[in-house]
Amino acid sequence: MACRNINSKILFVIFRRLNLKNLSCTAAVAPELDAAVKQDIETDKIKPRKHPGVIKFGTCSLPKEIIKAVSIVAEDHPVKTILNDAKMLANYLYSRHYPWDEEDLEERRKDFVENVQSRIGELPLDASEEQSYHYTSLVRSSVEHLMTKYQYRWNPLDLHQYSSLVYLFTRAAPNYAVVSRVLEEITKLCPDYRPTSLFDFGSGIGSVSWAAKSYWGDSLKEYMNIDSSSSMNELAALLLQGGRSEVRTPVGVFYREFLPAQHVSAYKV
């Protein structure tokens, strides 16, 4: 049975049940501590957990108008179906790997060649031309087999109208939280920074625009969103329209599938 009225409490339960904490990601970084701060820590003038670089970030919530818009957009879809599909998508995204780039491919191929040659042995120095040909063919075919076996088969998401909605339920909260954390640090480090334009490449459901508006809504005049999925762009625009297609998109907000042919504007963010 389709749910005709998904209120904010139900949305909160849905987002919480998605177990979004498991969708965190890490990246190896090598920060360099300021010499003065390092000295203050070593001389016990300040505690490591309270050094000037620590920026506390409290719990953030999706904007109320976005939650309301989501409830309207999803009102014709069964809640259980969306929730189950969102869990499946969350698990898929969490287990996904980046595709190998050219450097990775070359390195893996080199490793596989060494592995194959160690198993079949080296080609004798007095090998005939025919033996050399068969040896090279064997190594090549074995390496290609290993490349096919171990290379991650990365494929882009097929985002149509319903899958975009599922993505919204899967990634709205974590995406918004991550962007908000970044913007929170920017505003604390540069309190006088007031950008007038925003460029979001791979804008998706529009979480960057939501967060940017909450921090710089009084100064931002233009939001340029680029995403290759027309369905995602339509959903993002619909959310800013409050879930009502008859309402006009806010002034200064643009959605495109491709970069402008002649890009002359210099965006601030």
Side-chain angles (χ1 to χ4, degrees):
M1 180 182 296
C3 177
R4 297 295 177 182
N5 184 20
I6 306 179
N7 58 35
S8 58
K9 291 184 178 180
I10 295 178
L11 283 176
F12 174 78
V13 172
I14 290 175
F15 287 137
R16 185 178 63 181
R17 289 181 61 187
L18 285 177
N19 197 21
L20 296 173
K21 64 182 181 180
N22 291 331
L23 298 180
S24 60
C25 59
T26 58
V29 294
E32 184 176 346
L33 189 61
D34 181 79
V37 174
K38 183 178 181 181
Q39 183 177 2
D40 288 342
I41 292 176
E42 292 175 348
T43 56
D44 293 330
K45 288 185 178 180
I46 59 175
K47 294 183 178 180
R49 293 185 179 181
K50 295 184 178 181
H51 68 79
V54 174
I55 298 178
K56 294 184 178 180
F57 183 74
T59 303
C60 68
S61 302
L62 288 171
K64 293 181 179 180
E65 61 271 20
I66 295 298
I67 293 180
K68 183 178 180 180
V70 172
S71 67
I72 295 174
V73 170
E75 63 183 359
D76 291 330
H77 298 273
V79 176
K80 287 186 177 180
T81 301
I82 296 178
L83 180 58
N84 290 333
D85 291 342
K87 286 182 177 179
M88 292 176 60
L89 179 59
N91 292 334
Y92 170 71
L93 293 176
Y94 183 69
S95 63
R96 214 175 184 208
H97 300 283
Y98 287 109
W100 290 353
D101 57 23
E102 292 299 326
E103 185 177 348
D104 291 329
L105 287 171
E106 188 64 28
E107 185 176 347
R108 296 297 179 93
R109 189 180 299 277
K110 182 179 179 181
D111 292 339
F112 288 147
V113 168
E114 293 177 355
N115 178 273
V116 171
Q117 289 178 336
S118 66
R119 287 190 288 109
I120 66 176
E122 296 183 359
L123 181 67
L125 296 177
D126 58 347
S128 64
E129 184 176 343
E130 183 179 359
Q131 288 175 323
S132 298
Y133 173 79
H134 286 299
Y135 180 86
T136 303
S137 299
L138 177 60
V139 172
R140 184 187 301 112
S141 61
S142 299
V143 169
E144 291 303 321
H145 172 73
L146 291 173
M147 292 288 288
T148 303
K149 180 179 180 180
Y150 291 104
Q151 184 175 359
Y152 179 73
R153 293 171 178 80
W154 188 92
N155 291 303
L157 294 177
D158 181 19
L159 294 170
H160 45 75
Q161 185 176 8
Y162 178 71
S163 60
S164 295
L165 181 62
V166 173
Y167 185 90
L168 169 66
F169 274 76
T170 306
R171 295 300 306 170
N175 284 4
Y176 181 79
V178 169
V179 177
S180 295
R181 174 60 185 266
V182 173
L183 299 188
E184 178 74 13
E185 293 195 14
I186 292 176
T187 53
K188 287 188 175 181
L189 294 173
C190 307
D192 296 329
Y193 182 59
R194 311 299 295 173
T196 56
S197 58
L198 168 73
F199 182 86
D200 186 7
F201 186 78
S203 52
I205 53 180
S207 51
V208 171
S209 294
W210 309 342
K213 182 182 178 182
S214 65
Y215 283 91
W216 301 312
D218 56 342
S219 65
L220 282 172
K221 305 301 180 185
E222 181 181 358
Y223 301 76
M224 176 59 74
N225 300 279
I226 308 294
D227 198 283
S228 60
S229 171
S230 59
S231 297
M232 194 70 87
N233 285 334
E234 291 172 2
L235 176 59
L238 188 59
L239 292 173
L240 290 188
Q241 294 167 339
R244 308 291 185 183
S245 58
E246 66 274 11
V247 178
R248 294 186 60 182
T249 304
V251 177
V253 180
F254 305 96
Y255 295 94
R256 301 286 187 272
E257 291 184 44
F258 306 98
L259 289 171
Q262 293 183 345
H263 187 66
V264 295
S265 300
Y267 292 90
K268 303 301 181 181
V269 182

